[in-house]
Coordinates of all heavy atoms in Angstrom, one line a residue:
A1544 N 19.8 3.6 2.5 CA 18.4 3.4 2.8 C 17.7 2.6 1.7 O 17.0 1.7 2.0 CB 17.6 4.8 2.9
S1545 N 18.0 2.9 0.4 CA 17.3 2.2 -0.6 C 17.7 0.8 -0.7 O 16.9 -0.1 -1.0 CB 17.6 3.0 -2.0 OG 18.5 2.3 -2.7
R1546 N 18.9 0.5 -0.3 CA 19.3 -1.0 -0.2 C 18.4 -1.7 0.8 O 18.3 -2.9 0.8 CB 20.8 -1.1 0.2 CG 21.7 -1.1 -1.0 CD 23.2 -1.1 -0.5 NE 23.9 -0.1 -1.2 CZ 25.0 0.5 -0.7 NH1 25.5 0.2 0.5 NH2 25.6 1.4 -1.4
R1547 N 17.9 -1.0 1.8 CA 17.0 -1.6 2.8 C 15.6 -1.4 2.5 O 14.7 -1.6 3.3 CB 17.3 -1.0 4.2 CG 18.8 -1.1 4.6 CD 19.4 -2.5 4.6 NE 18.6 -3.5 5.5 CZ 18.9 -3.7 6.8 NH1 19.8 -3.0 7.4 NH2 18.2 -4.5 7.5
G1548 N 15.3 -0.9 1.3 CA 13.9 -0.7 0.9 C 13.2 0.5 1.4 O 12.0 0.6 1.5
I1549 N 14.0 1.5 1.9 CA 13.5 2.7 2.5 C 13.7 4.0 1.6 O 14.8 4.2 1.2 CB 14.2 2.9 3.9 CG1 14.1 1.7 4.7 CG2 13.7 4.2 4.5 CD1 13.4 1.8 6.0
V1550 N 12.6 4.7 1.4 CA 12.7 6.0 0.8 C 13.0 7.0 1.9 O 12.3 7.1 2.9 CB 11.4 6.4 0.0 CG1 11.5 7.8 -0.5 CG2 11.1 5.3 -1.1
L1551 N 14.1 7.8 1.7 CA 14.6 8.7 2.7 C 14.3 10.1 2.3 O 14.8 10.6 1.2 CB 16.1 8.5 2.9 CG 16.6 9.4 4.1 CD1 16.1 9.0 5.4 CD2 18.2 9.2 4.1
G1552 N 13.5 10.8 3.1 CA 13.1 12.2 2.7 C 13.5 13.3 3.7 O 13.8 13.0 4.8
A1553 N 13.4 14.5 3.2 CA 13.5 15.7 4.1 C 12.4 16.7 3.8 O 12.1 16.8 2.6 CB 14.9 16.3 4.0
A1554 N 11.9 17.3 4.8 CA 10.9 18.4 4.5 C 11.7 19.6 4.0 O 12.8 19.9 4.5 CB 10.1 18.8 5.8
V1555 N 11.1 20.3 3.0 CA 11.8 21.5 2.5 C 10.9 22.7 2.7 O 9.7 22.6 2.3 CB 12.3 21.4 1.1 CG1 13.4 20.4 1.0 CG2 11.2 21.0 0.1
E1556 N 11.4 23.8 3.2 CA 10.6 25.0 3.3 C 11.3 26.2 2.7 O 10.7 27.3 2.6 CB 10.3 25.3 4.8 CG 9.6 24.1 5.5 CD 9.2 24.3 6.9 OE1 9.4 25.4 7.5 OE2 8.6 23.4 7.5
R1557 N 12.5 26.1 2.2 CA 13.2 27.2 1.6 C 14.5 26.6 0.8 O 14.7 25.4 0.9 CB 13.7 28.2 2.5 CG 14.6 27.7 3.7 CD 15.0 28.8 4.6 NE 14.0 29.2 5.5 CZ 13.8 28.6 6.7 NH1 14.6 27.6 7.1 NH2 12.9 29.0 7.5
Y1558 N 15.1 27.5 0.1 CA 16.4 27.2 -0.5 C 16.3 26.2 -1.7 O 17.3 25.7 -2.1 CB 17.4 26.5 0.5 CG 17.9 27.5 1.6 CD1 18.1 27.0 2.9 CD2 18.1 28.8 1.3 CE1 18.5 27.8 3.9 CE2 18.6 29.7 2.3 CZ 18.7 29.1 3.6 OH 19.2 30.0 4.6
L1559 N 15.1 25.9 -2.2 CA 15.1 25.1 -3.4 C 15.7 25.8 -4.6 O 16.2 25.2 -5.6 CB 13.7 24.6 -3.8 CG 13.4 23.3 -3.1 CD1 12.2 22.6 -3.8 CD2 14.5 22.4 -2.9
E1560 N 15.7 27.2 -4.5 CA 16.5 28.0 -5.5 C 17.1 29.1 -4.7 O 16.6 29.5 -3.6 CB 15.6 28.4 -6.6 CG 14.4 29.1 -6.2 CD 13.5 29.4 -7.4 OE1 13.4 28.5 -8.3 OE2 12.8 30.5 -7.4
G1561 N 18.1 29.8 -5.3 CA 18.7 30.9 -4.6 C 19.3 30.6 -3.3 O 19.7 29.4 -3.0
G1562 N 19.5 31.6 -2.4 CA 20.0 31.4 -1.1 C 21.5 31.5 -1.1 O 22.1 31.1 0.0
G1563 N 22.1 31.9 -2.2 CA 23.6 32.0 -2.2 C 24.3 30.7 -1.8 O 23.9 29.6 -2.2
A1564 N 25.5 30.9 -1.1 CA 26.3 29.7 -0.8 C 25.5 28.7 0.1 O 25.6 27.5 0.0 CB 27.6 30.2 -0.1
T1565 N 24.7 29.3 1.0 CA 23.9 28.4 1.9 C 22.9 27.6 1.1 O 22.8 26.4 1.3 CB 23.1 29.3 2.9 OG1 24.1 30.1 3.6 CG2 22.5 28.4 4.0
G1566 N 22.3 28.2 0.2 CA 21.3 27.6 -0.7 C 22.0 26.4 -1.5 O 21.4 25.3 -1.6
A1567 N 23.1 26.8 -2.0 CA 23.9 25.7 -2.8 C 24.2 24.5 -1.9 O 24.1 23.4 -2.3 CB 25.1 26.4 -3.4
L1568 N 24.7 24.8 -0.7 CA 25.1 23.7 0.2 C 23.8 22.9 0.6 O 23.9 21.7 0.6 CB 25.7 24.4 1.5 CG 26.5 23.5 2.4 CD1 27.5 22.7 1.6 CD2 27.2 24.5 3.4
F1569 N 22.7 23.6 0.8 CA 21.5 22.9 1.1 C 21.1 22.0 0.0 O 20.8 20.8 0.2 CB 20.3 24.0 1.3 CG 19.0 23.4 1.6 CD1 18.6 23.2 2.9 CD2 18.1 23.1 0.5 CE1 17.3 22.7 3.1 CE2 16.9 22.6 0.8 CZ 16.4 22.3 2.1
R1570 N 21.2 22.5 -1.2 CA 20.7 21.6 -2.4 C 21.7 20.4 -2.6 O 21.3 19.3 -3.0 CB 20.6 22.5 -3.6 CG 19.4 23.4 -3.5 CD 19.1 24.1 -4.9 NE 20.2 25.1 -5.1 CZ 20.2 26.4 -4.7 NH1 19.3 26.8 -3.8 NH2 21.2 27.2 -5.0
T1571 N 23.0 20.7 -2.3 CA 24.0 19.6 -2.4 C 23.6 18.5 -1.4 O 23.6 17.3 -1.8 CB 25.4 20.1 -2.1 OG1 25.7 21.1 -3.1 CG2 26.4 19.0 -2.2
R1572 N 23.4 18.9 -0.2 CA 23.0 17.9 0.8 C 21.7 17.2 0.5 O 21.6 16.0 0.6 CB 22.9 18.6 2.2 CG 24.2 19.0 2.8 CD 25.0 17.8 3.3 NE 26.2 18.1 3.9 CZ 27.4 17.9 3.4 NH1 27.5 17.4 2.1 NH2 28.5 18.3 4.0

Side-chain angles (χ1 to χ4, degrees):
S1545 102
R1546 274 177 229 152
R1547 307 300 304 272
I1549 305 241
V1550 174
L1551 183 65
V1555 293
E1556 300 186 3
R1557 57 176 80 84
Y1558 293 144
L1559 270 203
E1560 53 189 36
T1565 307
L1568 199 46
F1569 178 92
R1570 291 187 290 278
T1571 300
R1572 286 286 181 255

